[in-house]
């Protein structure tokens, strides 16, 4: 049988990434992250697009070299079509179109969020990995999304709960900014939280119906709490940053797990996965392991390299679509907003 070799391209936000998957197995995954945004305390879309333009050719080149695959051997090019920053997406989408055209091979458009969920199916050479069994629940938590996805098949996903305002990662990043810490806040809060007391402070938790989330109230309560304490003690943050981080992290993990527990119980599902940038968080990963013990869940926690944006997840999604002859035409535009379903 002829080898199926997919080149995946991801450029939805501030990571330029390319990956090669052969017959479902990952051969390379190369990512160029953009440090340029750090001094701005957030991703600057214009700068992100420019950096993608600089990075995309060398990143694809490296991914192919590392995989030991000549471009003429590729079966198809899979690319992130959305959601994401329009300027960033356009770089990857346009590159994919030009590259596929020049090689006269098909293109496969991939939903970035679907890619995050399917990151659990990335297989590496000589590593046997358990993959979730359908149907499973996936908690998808990133800087832009906080949702519970019911995954019935690789191409059949339903969002059963989502944030009605801020995403969990966005809340962490904003609270970290208020504390005067760097960007992105997630890894900094995670590091500090390991040395703090998660019960030191209590912040408000939302009371929302069903499986939906809300994080804007927590953000405001955190802000007001700090403002009041700083009036009494200008060094409050510096003296309590570990406890603040630990308490904030514990509150967010608690909010996330409560709805996930409810969904798992009501739907009678014990296969539960987590995906997206925030799934790198130690407290959240520990909560999953704890739930596996307490509720007999089979939990799926991604490798660190597959938590944040990467092209391996785009390539594996592309591989499944290729096997289903699910291609896209050259006139398909990028889309900045789109749901997973
Ligand atoms: O999925 P992602 O790389 O990008 C999108 O938003 O699409 O997620 C980025 C988010 C940021 O909010 C970042 O602060 C958060 O993931 N994050 C973390 C950790 N690592 C990254 N949050 C908590 N703990 C971490 N260790």
């Amino acid at each position: 049988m002829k080898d199926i070799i997919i080149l995946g391209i991801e450029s939805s936000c501030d990571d330029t990434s390319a990956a090669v998957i052969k017959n479902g197995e990952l051969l390379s995954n190369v990512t160029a992250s953009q440090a340029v945004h750090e001094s701005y305390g957030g991703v600057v879309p214009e700068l992100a697009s420019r950096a993608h333009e600089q990075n995309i050719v060398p990143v694809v080149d490296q991914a192919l070299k590392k995989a030991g695959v000549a471009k003429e051997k590729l079966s198809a090019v899979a690319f992130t079509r959305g959601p994401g920053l329009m300027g960033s997406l356009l770089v990857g989408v346009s590159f994919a179109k030009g590259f596929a055209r020049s090689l006269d091979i098909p293109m496969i458009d991939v939903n970035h969020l679907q890619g995050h969920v399917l990151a659990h199916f990335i297989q590496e050479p000589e590593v046997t990995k358990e993959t979730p069994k359908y149907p499973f629940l996936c908690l998808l938590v990133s800087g832009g999304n906080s949702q519970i996805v019911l995954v019935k098949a690789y191409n059949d996903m339903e969002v059963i709960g989502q944030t009605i305002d801020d995403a969990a990662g966005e809340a962490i990043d904003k609270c970290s900014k208020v504390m005067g810490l760097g960007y992105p806040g997630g890894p900094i809060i995670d590091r500090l939280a390991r040395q703090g007391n998660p019960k030191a402070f209590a912040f408000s938790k939302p009371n929302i119906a069903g499986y939906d989330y809300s994080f804007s109230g927590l953000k405001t309560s955190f802000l007001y709490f700090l403002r009041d304490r700083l009036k009494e003690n200008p060094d409050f943050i510096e003296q309590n940053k570990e406890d603040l981080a630990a308490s904030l992290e514990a509150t967010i993990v608690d909010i996330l797990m409560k709805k996930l527990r409810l969904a798992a119980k009501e739907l009678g599902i014990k296969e539960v996965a987590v995906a997206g940038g925030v799934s790198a968080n130690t407290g959240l990963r520990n909560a999953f392991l704890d739930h596996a013990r307490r509720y007999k869940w089979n939990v799926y926690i991604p490798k660190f390299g597959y938590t944040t944006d990467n092209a391996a997840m785009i390539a594996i999604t592309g591989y499944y679509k290729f096997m289903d002859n699910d291609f896209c035409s050259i006139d398909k535009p990028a889309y900045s907003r789109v749901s997973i379903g």
Side-chain angles (χ1 to χ4, degrees):
M1 208 182 81
K2 198 169 171 262
D3 287 329
I4 310 293
I5 308 180
I6 309 290
L7 171 70
I9 292 174
E10 156 65 31
S11 74
S12 64
C13 190
D14 60 342
D15 293 303
T16 321
S17 186
V20 177
I21 278 187
K22 182 176 172 184
N23 301 326
E25 206 174 82
L26 185 71
L27 298 184
S28 66
N29 181 41
V30 176
T31 303
S33 299
Q34 304 176 358
V36 64
H37 308 287
E38 276 165 24
S39 55
Y40 294 90
V43 177
V44 183
E46 166 88 22
L47 297 181
S49 320
R50 290 192 213 170
H52 283 306
E53 281 288 6
Q54 285 175 338
N55 293 338
I56 189 114
V57 171
V59 163
V60 169
D61 204 42
Q62 262 192 52
L64 288 169
K65 278 209 183 91
K66 221 171 151 191
V69 166
K71 60 183 189 304
E72 293 75 20
K73 296 277 178 208
L74 291 173
S75 312
V77 180
F79 61 95
T80 300
R81 190 173 160 198
L85 298 172
M86 186 45 92
S88 291
L89 287 166
L90 282 175
V91 178
V93 172
S94 305
F95 178 88
K97 286 181 178 180
F99 204 56
R101 249 307 152 91
S102 70
L103 296 167
D104 198 20
I105 54 175
M107 291 182 311
I108 303 167
D109 59 332
V110 173
N111 179 312
H112 177 81
L113 302 175
Q114 184 187 12
H116 269 303
V117 175
L118 295 182
H120 286 285
F121 294 84
I122 298 167
Q123 294 291 352
E124 294 170 341
E126 287 157 42
V127 182
T128 320
K129 192 175 81 176
E130 277 273 321
T131 54
K133 321 282 173 302
Y134 300 114
F136 67 91
L137 290 175
C138 186
L139 176 68
L140 180 50
V141 267
S142 68
N145 291 278
S146 292
Q147 40 188 237
I148 300 177
V149 185
L150 172 59
V151 188
K152 294 171 250 182
Y154 93 86
N155 57 355
D156 188 1
M157 301 187 187
E158 187 189 336
V159 177
I160 57 169
Q162 60 190 321
T163 181
I164 58 165
D165 41 54
D166 293 348
E170 196 179 347
I172 297 176
D173 290 344
K174 282 184 183 157
C175 290
S176 138
K177 199 170 175 177
V178 169
M179 284 173 69
L181 306 171
Y183 173 84
I188 303 169
I189 294 284
D190 192 341
R191 213 174 40 247
L192 288 171
R194 305 286 62 80
Q195 293 137 42
N197 173 8
K199 295 200 166 90
F201 307 112
F203 305 113
S204 88
K205 290 185 190 164
N207 193 3
I208 308 272
Y211 308 140
D212 282 343
Y213 289 118
S214 165
F215 290 100
S216 73
L218 166 64
K219 201 181 62 190
T220 315
S221 115
F222 191 79
L223 183 71
Y224 287 170
F225 174 82
L226 286 187
R227 193 192 56 186
D228 294 347
R229 294 297 174 105
L230 285 170
K231 270 188 212 151
E232 296 156 13
N233 173 11
D235 295 328
F236 180 76
I237 295 179
E238 189 47 40
Q239 288 166 1
N240 294 279
K241 58 182 192 290
E242 291 84 3
D243 285 350
L244 283 167
S247 303
L248 175 70
E249 181 190 278
T251 310
I252 291 179
V253 169
D254 228 47
I255 296 170
L256 290 171
M257 296 311 289
K258 188 177 172 197
K259 292 299 177 91
L260 193 58
R261 263 196 318 273
L262 182 69
K265 188 173 167 216
E266 291 187 349
L267 300 174
I269 293 178
K270 286 190 181 287
E271 295 281 306
V272 190
V274 60
V278 182
S279 69
N281 181 262
T282 311
L284 185 59
R285 294 167 92 91
N286 288 340
F288 263 72
L289 296 176
D290 176 56
H291 278 60
R293 281 188 294 269
R294 273 202 289 161
Y295 300 100
K296 307 267 180 295
W297 287 2
N298 295 321
V299 296
Y300 302 89
I301 302 170
K303 259 177 78 166
F304 282 108
Y306 305 140
T307 56
T308 45
D309 294 345
N310 66 86
M313 67 187 199
I314 305 305
I316 190 69
T317 310
Y319 173 73
Y320 288 130
K321 290 185 87 168
F322 185 95
M323 301 305 274
D324 265 354
N325 288 317
D326 188 355
F327 303 112
C328 84
S329 55
I330 195 137
D331 59 345
K332 292 285 179 281
Y335 37 40
S336 53
R337 284 176 172 269
V338 65
S339 155
I340 206 167

